[in-house]
Amino acid sequence: MLNDLQLNSILEDFDIAYWKINLLNKEVSWSEHFDTLVGNPIFSESHFEYFLKEILHQDYRYDFRLYFDKLTEENEAFSIELKLKLNNGKYRWFECRNLKNKENNKETAVLLFVNIHQNKRDQYTIEENFFYYHETAQMTNTGGWYIDTQNKNIYWDNVTKKIIGCPLDYQPPYNEHLRFYAPEEHQEVTSAFDKCEKYGIPFKVELKMRNLYNKDFWVRATGKPVYNEDQDIIGIRGVFQDINDQKINELNLQNSLDLVATQNSRLFNFAHIVSHHLRSHSSNLCLIVELLKDAKTDKDKIELIPNVADISENLDLAINELNEIVNKQTVLGKERRIVSFEKALSGVMASTSSLINRENAKIVAEFHALKEISYIPEYLESILLNLITNAIKYKHPGRKPVIYIQTYLKNETPFLEVSDNGLGIDLDQYGDKMFGMYKTFHENLDSRGIGLFITKNQVETLGGTISVTSTVDVGTTFKIKF
Amino acid sequence: MGQKVELACIIDDDKIYVNLVKKIIEIKKLSNNLLIFKNGMEALDHFKLILENATEDRLPDIIFLDINMPVMDGWEFLNEFIKIKNNFEKKITLYVVSSSIDPRDLERAKSINLVTDYLIKPIELKKFEKIFDRNGNAAA
């Protein structure tokens, strides 16, 4: 058996102090180690009272006295965690319990004080960390996951399950996990997971996932390899953060930004074109004024008058054209409606019947693949009108104009094509200018160079694009993607 | 007044402007002869013809080139003209003349060696006289 000295030294090593309680007179004596822990007090009263008043944290005084009385009077065992003030003035956690009384000793009891401060602190830290993790995960919609690549299992935490929209007892299928990603992401996802599993390359990507109800949403995903003791990769662990709202906002913002940028540059060009177009007339006026001032005879002056008349007429025409452009570009008060292509075309053909008849133009329409579209009716008519008159205006001199109009759906996107058998145009030379304002390519008296400019603007205002293919002497095709 | 210009050339689709400039040149007797083309293509055809016939008597001393024209605009004409210009012995002064006040047009014109200056319409009478005068002196 160990003697008291040896026992004391062992207890001390484990940072365990104790009290010896005389059960007969309830007197308490402290072990040496207890003395060193709490300092060497000078007693004016009993150890017990001093302990309660000076050493034990006040929160535990009531309980401790209760337990102590029960121990000393009824020999009832107890165990309590409490805080003691040490000789450095700081409180530390201790576990206090009585030593089991094997021999039914009625004379003395022993109370052990075990330092559990580190444990307690670790426990608090864990609780604290868990709290922060939990709150952060909830607030940021971030879920954790683990893929056990050895045993082929996938584990999702509750937030991940919430993001995916599955019940808490759902077991994700290992072999079909790609099902939880949008099809267009499969390649990237497979590659990221493969690289992580095989070579330990971590990943951090933004991708589209697909929830249990086949709705796609954006997440930010990170994954890192998990190694065993032999440094073999045994799994991948990471988080999914649901960033759908932010991503949608970001994408919308980018779209708006692009739209504003294109509209801005269009306005900028428009302003310069307008200034140029109007300036050419005003500068002619200035020139005439100078000539008038300079003219020596009345005859010279009178000769200049017809020029003034021409200029004012041109100026008037130019202003009307600009007005027309501005009017046709205003979307204000115009709304998308379901428009039938057939109806829009017959309206256009009625208003251009004289031109069509004069040129003996043949118009063939195929609308059966796509009969109608949600569009601003005035725009659709204006687009058809411009493309048809354009085709007739630039007809081939050797043949009657034939215009073929077709609508169709491709990848769910509506298209309109207008083809003619006219002059055609060298796109290498003029391609980038086709849709510019006041750009005319043929010496044609009634070309004004604003039709295609307006058409392009109308198509783009409603989010579409227009493109052109052409062969000189064969014909031209305009293709509108709505 | 310096020496008169023998042959001036205007490439511009604005009929009124061309008429007025013609008048100025007549009244002020700035040039003996005048060539007028209503777009770059017509002018280019003329210069190519001169090249084929190898006679430079219809080659202008001075060219006023507009930018915005149908069929072939001023920029396109410059692109083509640069290619054949060195085949001519005569020194040709070329002005880009436009009502465009777009600084991008001005920059672009100034970046081309062939272009002596960029003139913004309207050109004052005095400026016209100066241009022709300087040209006359320089040629003398």
Side-chain angles (χ1 to χ4, degrees), chain A residues 279 284 294 430 433 440 443, chain B residues 14 28 38 70-71 76 99:
Chain A
R279 281 200 83 254
N284 280 342
D294 205 63
Y430 300 114
K433 294 179 184 154
T440 48
E443 285 185 75
Chain B
D14 182 347
K28 300 284 174 189
K38 61 176 180 288
V71 186
E76 288 159 352
S99 56

Side-chain angles (χ1 to χ4, degrees), chain A residues 164-188:
Chain A
I164 304 276
C166 64
L168 291 181
D169 58 0
Y170 182 79
Q171 175 53 46
Y174 187 86
N175 290 322
E176 289 158 42
H177 79 108
L178 272 182
R179 174 244 169 278
F180 292 102
Y181 301 91
E184 66 263 33
E185 306 279 9
H186 284 184
Q187 207 183 341
E188 195 187 341

Side-chain angles (χ1 to χ4, degrees), chain A residues 268-269 272 275-277 279-288 290-291 294-296 300 303-304 307 310-312 314 429-430 433 437-443 445, chain B residues 14-21 23-24 27-28 38-39 41-42 66 68-73 75-76 98-104 120-126 128:
Chain A
F268 190 68
N269 279 329
H272 271 295
S275 85
H276 167 258
H277 201 53
R279 281 200 83 254
S280 64
H281 303 295
S282 68
S283 73
N284 280 342
L285 263 182
C286 293
L287 212 54
I288 287 209
E290 278 212 58
L291 275 170
D294 205 63
K296 305 256 169 5
D300 286 350
E303 266 180 20
L304 287 167
N307 283 311
D310 285 348
I311 292 170
S312 76
N314 286 347
Q429 201 176 349
Y430 300 114
K433 294 179 184 154
M437 201 173 166
Y438 300 122
K439 298 288 181 200
T440 48
F441 308 102
H442 305 277
E443 285 185 75
L445 286 178
Chain B
D14 182 347
K15 284 179 199 141
I16 297 172
Y17 164 81
V18 172
N19 270 339
L20 292 174
V21 173
K23 235 180 194 93
I24 293 169
I27 293 168
K28 300 284 174 189
K38 61 176 180 288
N39 65 53
M41 187 64 88
E42 283 189 6
D66 183 25
N68 288 283
M69 292 179 287
V71 186
M72 181 186 265
D73 68 18
W75 302 125
E76 288 159 352
S98 173
S99 56
S100 165
I101 48 172
D102 190 335
R104 288 172 297 187
I120 295 172
K121 291 180 189 174
I123 307 167
E124 292 166 23
L125 287 187
K126 278 181 191 141
F128 257 118

Side-chain angles (χ1 to χ4, degrees), chain A residues 8 14 25 94 132 143 205 272 288 309 316 328 393 417 445:
Chain A
N8 268 342
F14 282 96
N25 61 8
F94 283 84
Y132 288 136
V205 286
H272 271 295
I288 287 209
D316 190 49
K328 284 195 175 171
K393 239 188 244 174
E417 273 186 33
L445 286 178

Side-chain angles (χ1 to χ4, degrees), chain A residues 160-259:
Chain A
T160 299
K161 285 177 180 166
K162 196 184 109 199
I163 293 173
I164 304 276
C166 64
L168 291 181
D169 58 0
Y170 182 79
Q171 175 53 46
Y174 187 86
N175 290 322
E176 289 158 42
H177 79 108
L178 272 182
R179 174 244 169 278
F180 292 102
Y181 301 91
E184 66 263 33
E185 306 279 9
H186 284 184
Q187 207 183 341
E188 195 187 341
V189 170
T190 310
S191 141
F193 279 110
D194 275 0
K195 273 192 279 186
C196 195
E197 185 185 342
K198 285 186 189 136
Y199 312 110
I201 299 167
F203 60 85
K204 185 175 181 180
V205 286
E206 276 182 15
L207 47 85
K208 246 193 204 164
M209 287 188 80
R210 173 164 286 189
N211 75 8
L212 208 60
Y213 311 103
N214 291 322
K215 191 177 164 289
D216 290 350
F217 61 101
W218 284 96
V219 297
R220 184 174 295 134
T222 65
K224 283 178 182 163
V226 178
Y227 294 93
N228 66 6
E229 283 164 1
D230 301 329
Q231 294 304 307
D232 299 322
I233 295 169
I234 54 163
I236 307 169
R237 129 176 98 202
V239 295
F240 291 134
Q241 185 186 6
D242 183 348
I243 54 164
N244 200 44
D245 293 348
Q246 296 98 302
K247 190 75 185 178
I248 298 291
N249 280 343
E250 183 191 316
L251 292 176
N252 284 342
L253 208 63
Q254 190 57 47
N255 279 344
S256 311
L257 202 67
D258 291 347
L259 193 71

Side-chain angles (χ1 to χ4, degrees), chain A residues 113-153:
Chain A
F113 287 85
V114 185
N115 188 336
I116 54 163
H117 195 75
Q118 194 55 44
N119 290 350
K120 202 73 184 170
R121 260 200 20 198
D122 289 351
Q123 188 190 332
Y124 268 156
T125 312
I126 289 168
E127 272 172 26
E128 203 175 54
N129 284 348
F130 183 76
F131 170 82
Y132 288 136
Y133 150 72
H134 192 71
E135 290 296 309
T136 310
Q138 291 284 342
M139 186 184 263
T140 58
N141 261 330
T142 307
W145 50 264
Y146 177 66
I147 299 178
D148 179 347
T149 50
Q150 305 269 289
N151 303 310
K152 310 223 177 295
N153 264 322

Side-chain angles (χ1 to χ4, degrees), chain A residues 339-349 351-352 356 363-365 367 373 375 377-392 403-407 416-419 451-452 455 458-459 466 478 480 482:
Chain A
V339 203
S340 141
F341 283 108
E342 192 71 58
K343 259 192 189 161
L345 178 65
S346 63
V348 171
M349 283 176 68
S351 66
T352 50
I356 292 171
I363 295 180
V364 186
F367 296 138
I373 186 174
Y375 217 64
E378 291 91 336
Y379 275 21
L380 186 62
E381 283 183 21
S382 158
I383 289 166
L384 283 170
L385 178 74
N386 272 330
L387 293 180
I388 289 171
T389 49
N390 214 60
I392 297 176
I403 303 164
Y404 181 79
I405 307 173
Q406 189 190 11
T407 56
L416 168 73
E417 273 186 33
V418 177
S419 312
L452 289 177
T455 299
Q458 288 171 332
V459 170
I466 181 166
F478 287 95
I480 293 171
F482 289 109

